[in-house]
Amino acid sequence: MALRHAVLAALLDEELSGYQLTKAFAAGVANFWHAKPQQVYAELARLERDGLVAGREVVQEGRPDKRLFRVTGKGLDELEGFASTAAKPAFLREDLLVQVQAADRLDAAVLIERLAERYAFAEAKAALFEQRLRRMRGGLDEAEFLLRGARVGPYLTCRRGRDFERANRDWCRDVMEVLRARQATAEEA
């Protein structure tokens, strides 16, 4: 996947300015694609140049004018083409995994601190995703929303983000338990 596809997907629901897009991107798309704001702005310019999005100026009183972008028919065709290609599996590159890989040679107390930090981060992020999922569902329960909700795609990707963070949290908890048990056993010996 290229950044262009993530930007096009983020623009499917409404016209957004570059600023609004970077905010929406950070809130909704960031659980599966990371990009810096300047990368998003540069991609918007390329997408407009290629005719995949259209921009229009909006005059604002007392504030600078802004430019709103929407996906064009050609942009939708680009997303259709992207969706018809086989998805490549993602590979995880994460410092914490390297640290745990070396756990037998590192200070377990320090590693447990890093795991506790990641645990707290994952727990907080999972809670944010859960809040967002409740907002998307409105008054519907999940099963009803999945059958009848207006836009199920953003919901499903948000749910994946929540589940990913929950898995990170649970893995950190399990690794901390193992390291603590090994510390206790070593102290007894």
Side-chain angles (χ1 to χ4, degrees):
M1 171 172 72
L3 175 58
R4 69 184 4 207
H5 301 117
V7 171
L8 287 169
L11 284 171
L12 284 175
D13 289 327
E14 61 185 321
E15 278 187 313
L16 297 172
S17 68
Y19 175 77
Q20 292 169 314
L21 179 63
T22 59
K23 293 294 184 196
F25 202 86
V29 180
N31 75 75
F32 59 88
W33 190 271
H34 175 73
K36 296 178 181 165
Q38 58 267 35
Q39 291 173 301
V40 173
Y41 281 105
E43 191 59 44
L44 264 177
R46 282 189 290 275
L47 289 168
E48 186 173 28
R49 183 194 67 223
D50 295 343
L52 303 176
V53 300
R56 68 180 178 92
E57 292 294 323
V58 175
V59 177
Q60 301 186 107
E61 288 193 32
R63 297 172 58 182
D65 294 348
K66 67 179 177 181
R67 193 158 175 74
L68 294 178
F69 297 90
R70 65 173 173 73
V71 177
T72 64
K74 189 175 174 184
L76 289 173
D77 291 344
E78 172 74 17
L79 277 174
E80 283 286 338
F82 170 71
S84 69
T85 61
K88 297 175 185 169
F91 297 97
L92 194 57
R93 285 178 29 177
E94 188 171 332
D95 295 346
L96 186 59
L97 290 173
V98 175
Q99 293 167 348
V100 171
Q101 174 74 20
D104 300 311
R105 306 279 188 201
L106 301 178
D107 181 345
V110 171
L111 190 49
I112 289 169
E113 279 183 51
R114 298 295 77 75
L115 288 155
E117 291 165 357
R118 181 61 57 81
Y119 178 95
F121 174 84
E123 178 131 297
K125 192 127 188 224
L128 287 173
F129 282 126
E130 187 58 44
Q131 260 182 343
R132 192 171 303 136
L133 289 167
R134 280 194 301 273
R135 272 196 316 271
M136 285 184 211
R137 284 192 309 262
L140 301 176
D141 68 17
E142 186 171 75
E144 185 68 19
F145 179 82
L146 291 173
L147 287 175
R148 293 177 176 44
R151 288 269 289 127
V152 74
Y155 186 87
L156 292 171
T157 57
C158 186
R159 192 169 85 169
R160 174 65 178 118
R162 180 205 58 197
D163 294 348
F164 178 77
E165 292 303 340
R166 284 179 175 174
N168 283 336
R169 176 201 62 199
D170 295 348
W171 177 81
C172 288
R173 181 198 60 231
D174 294 347
V175 174
M176 286 187 292
E177 288 173 7
V178 167
L179 294 175
R180 287 181 181 125
R182 289 178 62 87
Q183 274 183 317
T185 301
E187 290 170 5
E188 290 172 4

